[in-house]
Amino acid sequence: MNNFTKLIMLISTIVLVIGGGFSFYFTYQAQSRDDLSDYSDVIAIDGFDAVAYHTDGIAQQGKHNFQVTWAGFHWYFATLENRQMFNENPEKYAPQFGGLDPYAMALNGTLQPATPELWQIDDTGKLYLFYSGETRKRWREDMEKYNTAANLHWERLTQQMKYKAEILKKDTQ
């Protein structure tokens, strides 16, 4: 192999490596944007009726024909009346911390998905969903302390998400 052929092969290899790297980078960026900003097909709290916790005192599965989109998610309801109540005041009925486990949120801001069947409504009427019976038990041991900590972590996380959304919006313009 002469020097000219070696040089061409070296340049070709460099172009392939750099081109592949850019391709991976741009593909990864596009996937990240979709993951952060598109929740249009996500059903909130696994399809459970957020109003039924308050009105019936049970975790009740909602129906797809009684649904509303709020905060970027689809919310299902067991009855038309529950859907109307939610529409009038969604903040009253939606679970705290986006339906994530409040105990995990309180400990270190962990985004731990909750189990809709494990729930509690506090004295102020706020709905909390828990990951397990153990996290619900620990939450109840000092609700005031854990609620304060969870709210601090939640505020920080929501501010970070708003900031990232603003950056993504600027990048796409």
Side-chain angles (χ1 to χ4, degrees):
M1 220 190 268
N2 64 29
N3 286 340
F4 179 74
T5 306
K6 289 180 182 178
L7 180 63
I8 294 297
M9 288 181 70
L10 178 62
I11 291 172
S12 298
T13 303
I14 292 171
V15 167
L16 284 174
V17 169
I18 292 173
F22 279 121
S23 174
F24 174 79
Y25 173 78
F26 289 123
T27 301
Y28 178 77
Q29 293 298 331
Q31 287 175 342
S32 296
R33 283 195 181 115
D34 291 343
D35 291 344
L36 288 173
S37 62
D38 185 16
Y39 297 105
S40 60
D41 61 343
V42 177
I43 299 169
I45 61 175
D46 293 337
F48 279 77
D49 184 338
V51 176
Y53 293 104
H54 297 270
T55 58
D56 302 331
I58 59 171
Q60 184 175 13
Q61 192 72 41
K63 300 174 185 170
H64 76 278
N65 54 330
F66 299 123
Q67 69 174 286
V68 65
T69 301
W70 177 73
F73 298 93
H74 296 294
W75 296 78
Y76 287 8
F77 302 94
T79 66
L80 178 61
E81 293 79 19
N82 284 5
R83 185 182 79 177
Q84 290 171 334
M85 291 171 68
F86 186 87
N87 267 335
E88 291 171 9
N89 192 356
E91 289 86 6
K92 176 180 178 180
Y93 298 105
Q96 300 301 294
F97 312 114
L100 298 166
D101 185 290
Y103 182 72
M105 182 67 62
L107 290 183
N108 56 10
T110 300
L111 304 178
Q112 177 66 56
T115 305
E117 294 92 343
L118 296 171
W119 59 279
Q120 172 181 329
I121 295 178
D122 71 8
D123 295 337
T124 65
K126 293 180 180 176
L127 172 63
Y128 299 91
L129 304 178
F130 298 89
Y131 170 72
S132 68
E134 183 64 26
T135 61
R136 182 171 58 183
K137 177 183 156 211
R138 290 177 185 245
W139 173 262
R140 289 176 173 170
E141 290 172 358
D142 196 346
M143 286 187 342
E144 187 175 326
K145 173 183 129 184
Y146 292 131
N147 195 36
T148 300
N151 277 311
L152 288 172
H153 288 297
W154 184 248
E155 181 63 28
R156 178 184 52 82
L157 289 168
T158 54
Q159 289 298 321
Q160 287 175 348
M161 290 178 70
K162 287 177 187 175
Y163 175 74
K164 287 180 180 180
E166 288 175 19
I167 289 174
L168 289 174
K169 187 177 178 181
K170 288 179 185 175
D171 284 350
T172 58
Q173 291 177 348

